[in-house]
Amino acid sequence: MRIAVRIALVGLGLLATGMNVLGQTADTPQTTPQNQQKNQNTDEITAVPNRPTFASTAEMVQLGVFEIEYGFEAGKGHQNVNGLLKWRAVKNLELWFLNNPIERDAGTAGLGDSGAGFKYKLFPQVKARPTVAILYVATLPTARPALVNEGVQFVGRAQLSGLDRRYFTALSYSRSLKGKWGYTGEIAGFSRRNATTPATMTLLNAATYNMSPRLVLDGGAYIAAYGQLPRFTVFAGVTYSIANLYDLHSTHRASKN
């Protein structure tokens, strides 16, 4: 069995090693740290997208909130549907489950890999100090051998001992535009993993649209600057905060009483 693991240190304004290619992740385009804190102090649920870029935001959904992100990618020789489910179980802990229900690479199609892990916030943003969190994800090899994703830091070698490893770096920029529109851009890439898997780098541009505080749409494209990647890939997706599960439980208990 081949198990892949990644450990990342992520922050607002400070991004260290870490990436997720099972489902694209991003710094939240429309929500500034100040607005995020303000929103979390109200009863209104506000979406905290990790889409549409490769980088992962250190911010979390509100306590008890269950949120989903789903999208698709389409490029020459590569297409997929990718998803991320997340739930903030306690104050500083968010649980993750990732899956690619559909994956197609070089004509081979089927179920893609899955993943499970957590994000733990070390400390929140205070003045010039960024929010910093640790992200840990283990990739579960649910795909056929030809479809196993390679976007991890530590990868078990098939029929060999030891681990291959590579490192990820991203520089992301995002801002709000007119009305509910937003823009985000990113330069991201992996270092060389081994003799047969060279380094990669992509240039990404995307637009986002806030349908409501809970619902955020995104779409864009990224270009492979170098490496073994499709030259041009388009993507689109949606982030939706379903409900605060703790509130639902409290309401159910109150109605029974």
Side-chain angles (χ1 to χ4, degrees):
M1 177 177 290
R2 178 180 179 277
I3 298 292
V5 174
R6 69 184 174 93
I7 302 175
L9 179 67
V10 295
L12 293 178
L14 175 65
L15 179 66
T17 306
M19 181 181 179
N20 166 30
V21 295
L22 289 175
Q24 294 197 22
T25 58
D27 288 323
T28 307
Q30 286 75 45
T31 307
T32 64
Q34 294 80 7
N35 289 338
Q36 176 67 24
Q37 185 64 39
K38 180 180 178 181
N39 288 333
Q40 292 191 356
N41 290 333
T42 69
D43 293 331
E44 183 178 40
I45 296 176
T46 303
V48 184
N50 284 272
R51 297 183 56 85
T53 63
F54 295 111
S56 300
T57 177
E59 290 297 340
M60 299 179 178
V61 297
Q62 291 113 301
L63 182 63
V65 169
F66 176 62
E67 184 171 278
I68 62 172
E69 302 180 12
Y70 266 89
F72 71 87
E73 294 180 350
K76 184 178 180 181
H78 168 75
Q79 301 86 36
N80 75 12
V81 173
N82 51 75
L84 167 63
L85 287 71
K86 49 188 174 174
W87 177 52
R88 189 170 179 179
V90 295
K91 181 179 179 180
N92 293 324
L93 180 67
E94 188 175 83
L95 303 180
W96 280 28
F97 176 76
L98 309 96
N99 74 313
N100 280 10
I102 301 173
E103 179 88 15
R104 184 178 184 274
D105 291 305
T108 301
L111 174 68
D113 281 338
S114 301
F118 63 87
K119 179 165 60 179
Y120 183 81
K121 184 182 290 188
L122 298 178
F123 45 80
Q125 181 177 7
V126 177
K127 297 182 179 180
R129 186 186 72 184
T131 300
V132 176
I134 294 175
L135 179 64
Y136 176 94
V137 174
T139 301
L140 309 177
T142 55
R144 295 168 58 186
L147 293 176
V148 174
N149 289 307
E150 302 290 338
V152 293
Q153 286 188 304
F154 298 96
V155 184
R157 299 167 179 165
Q159 299 179 347
L160 295 173
S161 61
L163 294 170
D164 287 329
R165 63 181 182 274
R166 57 180 179 175
Y167 302 95
F168 174 76
T169 302
L171 177 63
S172 302
Y173 171 80
S174 59
R175 60 167 297 172
S176 297
L177 301 177
K178 184 177 181 180
K180 298 181 179 181
W181 288 94
Y183 165 81
T184 185
E186 183 178 73
I187 301 174
F190 270 122
S191 66
R192 175 180 176 272
R193 198 185 86 183
N194 54 36
T196 60
T197 307
T200 62
M201 185 174 76
T202 59
L203 308 176
L204 181 148
N205 288 277
T208 59
Y209 184 78
N210 287 55
M211 294 286 292
S212 70
R214 291 192 182 196
L215 179 63
V216 181
L217 308 179
D218 67 76
Y222 59 89
I223 299 172
Y226 60 80
Q228 297 174 350
L229 297 170
R231 179 62 179 170
F232 182 79
T233 302
V234 297
F235 61 84
V238 58
T239 302
Y240 182 67
S241 291
I242 297 176
N244 187 319
L245 301 185
Y246 291 146
D247 283 351
L248 291 178
H249 180 67
S250 298
T251 302
H252 178 69
R253 290 186 61 182
S255 63
K256 289 181 66 176
N257 295 332

